Structure formats: structure tokens, C-alpha cells
Amino acid sequence: MTDLTTTGPSAAQPADRTPQWHLQGEQTAPVMVLSGTWQARAGNIPVFPKDGLKKAPGAHLSFQTSDLQVWDTGLVAFLWDLKRVAHDAGISLDMQTLPGPMRQLLELLPEVPDEPVHHKTARTPFLETVGNHAIASMTEVGVVSELGALTAKGAVLTLLGRSRMRMVDLLANTADAGPYALLIVGIVNFLIGAILAFVGAVELQKFAAGIYVASLVGIAMVREMAAVMTAIIMAGRTGGAYAARISTMQGNEEIDALNVFGIPTSTYLILPAVLSLIITMPFLYLYGCLIGMLGGFVVAISMLDITAAGYFHQTVTAFGIGQFIFGFTKSLVFGAFIGLTSCRIGLKAGRSAADVGIAATRAVVVGIVGVIAIDAIFAVIADVLGI
Amino acid sequence: MPDQTVLSLRDITLSFGPKIIQKNISLDVRKGSIFAVMGGSGCGKSTLLKSMIGLLRPSAGEYHVGDENYWAGDEAHRTDLNHRFGVLFQSGALWSSMTVGENIALPLQMFTDLKPSVIRRLVELKLGFVGMLQAIDLYPSEISGGMCKRAGLARALALDPDILFFDEPSAGLDPITSARLDDLILNLRDGLGATIVIVSHELPSLFHIADDGIFLDARTKTPIAHGSPRDLRDNCTDPQVHAFMHRERDEEGKT
Ligand SMILES: Nc1ncnc2c1ncn2[C@@H]1O[C@H](COP(=O)(O)OP(=O)(O)OP(=O)(O)O)[C@@H](O)[C@H]1O
Ligand SMILES: [Mg+2]
């Protein structure tokens, strides 16, 4: 007779509080004796050792649970270990010797658990990563252009009455991108105008050329600042909102539902979004110019020795219509750019809650960086054309 | 004490703002019973469940969990009581930015001092119960709707609660998994002595597992029948309950 007695961790704590187990009896008919308190929350559930049962095909393991106090799923976790080890050792369990509830829970658990499906996290070499990013960026440019083309096509079809964009969507988007943005666009441009006037006034006063503050503020606002600042605000405000909304729709399978109905996302979602920005951006640009000049005016009048009429006259003669058209065109391009990229980023987003956050952030970052980059390109073009 | 009441509602009225969903709901859930909430679509079953787990304060009435008046105490008191609850939401409601395993581990990490290896073991156990062990490292967006349900169930079991609330646990499951789920529910009740409140339309499963219940009516906005589904099927004379239990079309065309 071989003695099989193996004992689980024991003893320092009062005997009835700790989970305890040992095997007794012969190899062909071992008995698992369980006693003590087995609670998962206590964190002291032992693991049944992988070699706890010697190979004995055909043997029958029974249980003795009369000394068991309180137990919960912690005990079931232990019994599951045992069940798996017993399966490997070719020993069958005599489930009838377990109390009913325990048996029922244990029967739910598989002897041979399915292998978890793992995510591959292969490390790619640095150069390959750079290459992948480059290809992805180029692809993205292509995709955004294609999206722009589709949207333009949608616009034409809508104009011809052969496809439909819902007017409600356009109006809602336009209201959000226009009137509701007036306050923040106004505040920012006013301050920009005021700051320009401050900086200019300090320097120009040295040359007794204080009146040129008006030209400085006028040209800076019309050529650059009003368009760029407004675009940056809209990228943060509206672009982020579009990306978040569309990626949430993605997560809820709403985009899939649109696709199944054959409602093109380009006309239903993107066209109103892009169009509303194209419509509102020029107005916001104009408004930004005026408010910016007002900001400059307030500072100039209070700091310098110039008259309101003089400031006004200097402003009007400062810039030509060419510079105005230049700024105006930029604002249109910025509007289309922000609308398209933010929608694209929303459509490309993943389906989890975190992905919505990522999409919104990315839309804002891409919007701001993109606007400044495009502005630089415009500057080069303007230099060549001599505007 | 076989007939100990775990949950008791007295004249509860549920409403969203001025819109009343159900009124005069009184019910007692006995310890260890499986209590079915039945009724047509939109009658307020999920709303009743929501108020029982503390997400919606009833506009009138009293709600006791054990001996405690649920809504009388403060937020912290309710959170303590909520630790006795395990909830499976109608849509699974897994946290989408975590893997299935992390979803189940989160409550354990937040409310116990267990070591990561112990938590992992308990997570595997709970997933083993619902037959989802292979999905432990997958994200909710990578598994099917029915698997989300089962993972949600495993999450509801994370803290070994003694009162479980299931909102349509078997909707979206194949018949075999659904039958397995019935067994699981019975096993959990028997094995852990849990009390279970279940919203379901699955008549076979209700007849199989539930031993008490309530039937809500959308038209009168009140409960119209109390009793186990089997009992209601065989003995209830109310035409609407009868139609529901026998899967007949409601003559008046309203469900
Ligand atoms: N947040 C809410 N605000 C206002 N009304 C709501 C809200 N949630 C639900 N309702 C209304 O409450 C009623 C009951 O909804 P509930 O979700 O409880 O129905 P249900 O019985 O669970 O239906 P189903 O079987 O389809 O799940 C419906 O009429 C619904 O319009
Ligand atoms: Mg519901």
C-alpha cells in the first residue's frame, strides 16, 4: 500500500479558518479530504499542484467534505485545478461524493480549457516602422482626396436633384459652426488684434510712426491672423466634435446601418459637415478681420496720440483687394480641409470608447498642424505670385 | 428561514420626469428564488430593474434590500448595498477599451486586495463558468453579441454577489448556449445561494427556471399579475397575461 498523503499549505492560522486539503487512501481509490474555510475574497486559496496526482489510469478519486466550513467560488477554483490535473493523470472524479451545489458549478467547467486567443505584438524594426508610417500617410492623403472627390460629386448630384443631402443636417451643422462660434472667434481675434497693436505701438512710437499701427494690424489680420486663428478655433471646436460624433456612430454600428441601406456616408454625413464649414468660415473670417481691427483700434487709441478718423483712414488704405482675396481663399480652403480630415478621422476610428477620444484628439491635432502647414504653402505661393 | 425576503418593493412609482412608466409596483423577492419580470416590450421592465439596482430613484414608494431602506441612506450606503448586486445589462455593457479578462478583473482590483495572480485565477474561473475562456484576451469589439452577453454575465459574477439582476440574458444566444445559461443560472442559485431577478421573454426558459414573478402592463402602467410563470400560464385568467404566456396574438393588437 502506497501512502499518497500530500498536504496543502496549513497551520499557522487557526485551523478552521484556513482552506485545507489532503489526499489519503490507496493509489487506486484516493480520497480528497477538504476542510476549513474556502473564500475567494480571503486570497488564500491554494493551487492544486500539477504533479499532485500520480498517474493511475482507471483510478477513482472521491471527496470527503464533512469538515468543510464556509465555501464559495474559491473552492470551485481549486476543484477546477484538481479536475484538470486528474484529467491529465487519467483519474476520474467521483462527482457524486461532492455536495450538490459544488458539483453543479464544477460540471460547468471544462477539463481541457480552450487556449486563449492571443494578440500578436510583433516588434517591427525602426526603418520598417518609418516606412510603414510614410506609406500610411501617403495613403491617407489619397483617401482624403478621394473622400473630397466623392463629397464634391455628392454635392453636384444634390444640386442636380439626383442625390439628397438633408437640409436639416446642413442647417444644424451650419448653426453649430457659425452663430454658436461667434463669441469665441470674436474674443480670440479681438485679443490678437490688440496684441499686435501693443507690440507695434511700442516699436513704431520710437520712430514717431504710431499711425502705422493701423496698417500693421490691418494687413496682419487680413492676410494671416484672422484666417489662421479662426481655422485653429474651428479645428478644435467643430473638427473635434465631428470626429467624436462620427466615431461614436461607428462604434454603435450606425455607419454600418447607413451602408446597408445604401445611404452614402459622403452625402449624408460628410457633405453637410464640410459644406457647413465652407459656408461659415469666410463669414467668420470677415468677422474676425473686423473684430481684430477693432481690438487694434482700442489699443492704439488709448496708447497713442492718434485720432479715430486717422486710424480708420490708415486702415482702409493699408491693404489692397488682392490681400483680402488671399485671406478669403485661405479661409475657404481651411474650412474644407478641417471638415474633410475630421470626418475621415472619425470614419477610420476603432469601435471602443477610447477610440472616440483618440479620434477627437487626432482630429484637433491634424487640423491645427494641417492649417498651419497649408498656410505656409500659401505663403510660398503668394511670394511667387507677388501678392 | 426559508421564506426570508431579500428585496421588497412597496407601492413604487417609476417615472422619467413627468412621464410615468409604472405605478403601484409591490413585490417581494424571496432569498434563493429566481424572480421573473415579464411584460410586453416597452412596458418598463428594464426601468424597474434600473431602479432596483440604484440607477433610477423611484418617484414614490419604498424599497428595502434585506432590512435596509435602500433610498433612505446616502450615496456611500447605497454603494455598499450595491456590492451585493451583480448586474448583467441588456446590451452586455462591457467596457470597450478593456479586454474581456480586464473587464472582469476591474471590480476585483478596485474592491479587494487580491494579488494579480489570484485575480487572474478568479477571472479564468468566472469565464470558465460561461464557457468563454478562450476570449479572455480579446476586446469586446472582437467578440460576437452573444459572447458579449456571456462575458457580461461573468463580470456580474466577479464579486460573488448574492443578488443577481439579469436583463434578457438569453436574447441573442443560440438555443444550446441559452439552455446552458439556464443551467448556469440554476447552478448559481443552488451553488451560491444567490437570489436572481431576471427580465426575459424566453418562455421556455422562464417556465424552466423561474419560481416567482410579476407581470407589468404597458397600457394601465401597473402590474397585472403576480406569481411564477408556470403558475400564470396554467391559472391566470387575465387575457393579456394568457396571450403572453401562450404566445398568442393579443386580440386588441396591443402588446
Ligand atoms: N431615459 C429615458 N427617458 C425617458 N423615457 C425612457 C427612458 N428610458 C426608457 N424610457 C421609456 O420607458 C419605457 C419603458 O422602457 P424600458 O426600457 O423599461 O422597457 P422594457 O420593458 O425593458 O422593454 P424591452 O422589452 O423592449 O427591453 C419606454 O416607453 C421608454 O420609452
Ligand atoms: Mg428592456
Side-chain angles (χ1 to χ4, degrees):
Chain A
M1 189 166 98
T2 349
D3 188 27
L4 256 185
T5 308
T6 334
T7 317
S10 64
Q13 295 154 293
D16 56 329
R17 306 290 305 160
T18 53
Q20 297 190 348
W21 61 271
H22 65 271
L23 283 167
Q24 60 182 356
E26 291 166 46
Q27 189 157 15
T28 46
V31 179
M32 164 62 78
V33 183
L34 297 163
S35 60
T37 301
W38 294 69
Q39 279 179 310
R41 288 279 195 114
N44 59 356
I45 300 295
V47 177
F48 188 79
K50 287 223 160 29
D51 52 0
L53 288 169
K54 305 205 177 62
K55 269 217 182 326
H60 225 55
L61 178 84
S62 54
F63 297 91
Q64 187 190 320
T65 53
S66 48
D67 289 337
L68 206 54
Q69 316 271 324
V70 189
W71 64 274
D72 66 6
T73 48
L75 176 57
V76 184
F78 175 79
L79 290 177
W80 191 23
D81 289 347
L82 175 64
K83 184 172 173 177
R84 281 179 282 184
V85 174
H87 178 80
D88 291 342
I91 297 174
S92 61
L93 301 183
D94 186 0
M95 301 291 260
Q96 295 309 317
T97 51
L98 277 176
M102 227 181 273
R103 187 175 66 235
Q104 285 178 320
L105 289 177
L106 189 57
E107 272 169 358
L108 290 169
L109 297 163
E111 279 148 2
V112 190
D114 308 321
E115 272 301 302
V117 183
H118 284 294
H119 284 274
K120 288 194 208 71
T121 40
R123 279 181 57 83
T124 36
F126 175 71
L127 269 182
E128 198 178 325
T129 316
V130 172
N132 286 343
H133 275 296
I135 294 175
S137 318
M138 295 314 285
T139 318
E140 227 20 58
V141 171
V143 172
V144 172
S145 317
E146 190 189 339
L147 209 61
L150 277 178
T151 311
K153 189 175 143 207
V156 172
L157 286 180
T158 305
L159 274 184
L160 295 178
R162 272 195 278 140
S163 170
R164 44 191 73 206
M165 170 188 66
R166 299 192 318 156
M167 265 311 163
V168 252
D169 294 332
L170 181 62
L171 286 179
N173 279 337
T174 309
D176 189 59
Y180 299 148
L182 282 181
L183 183 65
I184 179 162
V185 169
I187 292 174
V188 169
N189 279 298
F190 183 89
L191 291 176
I192 292 286
I195 292 166
L196 285 172
F198 260 122
V199 177
V202 173
E203 284 300 308
L204 291 171
Q205 223 169 0
K206 292 183 192 159
F207 306 101
I211 189 68
Y212 288 106
V213 165
S215 320
L216 172 73
V217 173
I219 293 175
M221 290 313 294
V222 169
R223 243 187 109 100
E224 295 290 339
M225 294 320 253
V228 172
M229 290 319 286
T230 310
I232 286 177
I233 294 167
M234 296 315 275
R237 198 180 168 278
T238 313
Y242 286 161
R245 191 187 63 193
I246 295 179
S247 59
T248 309
M249 292 180 73
Q250 185 75 267
N252 291 341
E253 299 185 323
E254 292 174 48
I255 304 277
D256 297 345
L258 284 175
N259 287 338
V260 169
F261 274 111
I263 300 172
T265 39
S266 54
T267 35
Y268 176 74
L269 279 178
I270 305 178
L271 185 57
V274 174
L275 214 51
S276 65
L277 275 174
I278 294 182
I279 293 171
T280 52
M281 278 294 282
F283 285 106
L284 290 174
Y285 161 73
L286 282 179
Y287 167 77
C289 285
L290 290 176
I291 296 275
M293 288 175 208
L294 178 68
F297 174 78
V298 170
V299 170
I301 289 292
S302 54
M303 274 182 70
L304 301 171
D305 183 23
I306 47 179
T307 61
Y311 188 94
F312 183 73
H313 179 75
Q314 188 61 36
T315 302
V316 189
T317 52
F319 52 87
I321 189 76
Q323 309 214 331
F324 182 73
I325 293 176
F326 182 59
F328 194 86
T329 316
K330 279 205 285 196
S331 73
L332 280 175
V333 174
F334 290 158
F337 171 78
I338 294 168
L340 272 180
T341 49
S342 55
C343 289
R344 164 64 188 157
I345 288 167
L347 283 176
K348 201 179 76 165
R351 289 171 179 253
S352 80
D355 290 325
V356 176
I358 293 172
T361 315
R362 186 169 293 161
V364 174
V365 171
V366 170
I368 291 176
V369 174
V371 160
I372 293 173
I374 294 177
D375 192 53
I377 297 173
F378 265 105
V380 174
I381 294 175
D383 188 49
V384 172
L385 294 182
I387 298 172
Chain B
M1 37 181 180
D3 263 17
Q4 200 185 350
T5 301
V6 192
L7 302 171
S8 110
L9 278 71
R10 284 288 161 270
D11 290 320
I12 292 276
T13 300
L14 301 168
S15 48
F16 288 106
K19 179 174 154 199
I20 291 186
I21 307 296
Q22 282 284 328
K23 52 183 187 284
N24 298 332
I25 303 179
S26 297
L27 58 89
D28 290 306
V29 180
R30 278 173 288 111
K31 186 173 170 56
S33 67
I34 296 181
F35 188 95
V37 179
M38 297 160 283
S41 189
C43 67
K45 303 182 295 295
S46 299
T47 311
L48 174 60
L49 211 65
K50 257 188 198 149
S51 109
M52 290 169 89
I53 58 179
L55 295 178
L56 176 76
R57 186 188 275 271
S59 45
E62 278 197 11
Y63 174 34
H64 287 267
V65 178
D67 303 327
E68 319 246 14
N69 188 337
Y70 187 84
W71 292 105
D74 56 6
E75 182 83 37
H77 177 244
R78 282 201 290 280
T79 308
D80 282 346
L81 285 177
N82 278 3
H83 283 175
R84 295 182 59 187
F85 297 166
V87 184
L88 167 62
F89 290 91
Q90 193 161 1
S91 54
L94 294 177
W95 297 303
S96 56
S97 51
M98 286 181 237
T99 64
V100 169
E102 288 165 349
N103 259 280
I104 299 157
L106 184 70
L108 291 165
Q109 288 161 352
M110 300 296 257
F111 299 114
T112 68
D113 303 323
L114 298 177
K115 288 199 290 289
S117 59
V118 178
I119 291 186
R120 175 81 183 184
R121 192 166 168 215
L122 291 176
V123 167
E124 284 176 4
L125 178 74
K126 303 294 154 68
L127 281 173
F129 281 149
V130 295
M132 285 272 300
L133 208 55
Q134 75 284 6
I136 188 164
D137 288 326
L138 297 181
Y139 283 90
S141 55
E142 295 169 321
I143 61 179
S144 75
M147 290 166 87
C148 278
K149 265 279 161 67
R150 284 190 279 156
L153 180 58
R155 187 180 67 182
L157 299 176
L159 293 173
D160 282 336
D162 67 332
I163 308 170
L164 289 162
F165 296 90
F166 297 156
D167 198 348
E168 309 211 6
S170 45
L173 298 183
D174 64 276
I176 294 170
T177 318
S178 167
R180 189 187 152 95
L181 190 75
D182 286 351
D183 290 340
L184 172 63
I185 291 173
L186 286 173
N187 285 338
L188 288 171
R189 193 263 305 262
D190 297 340
L192 303 175
T195 307
I196 296 169
V197 178
I198 183 169
V199 170
S200 179
H201 297 297
E202 295 286 313
L203 290 174
S205 123
L206 284 180
F207 295 144
H208 181 47
I209 62 174
D211 39 29
D212 198 358
I214 188 167
F215 194 99
L216 305 178
D217 179 31
R219 220 171 329 148
T220 55
K221 299 195 191 312
T222 52
I224 47 175
H226 292 262
S228 83
R230 271 177 307 250
D231 193 39
L232 291 181
R233 171 189 62 188
D234 299 336
N235 302 323
C236 188
T237 50
D238 185 286
Q240 208 192 326
V241 179
H242 187 88
F244 185 95
M245 292 298 169
H246 293 88
R247 318 194 64 166
E248 287 162 4
R249 234 167 260 111
D250 190 349
E251 316 76 52
E252 295 153 79
K254 296 175 205 150
T255 341

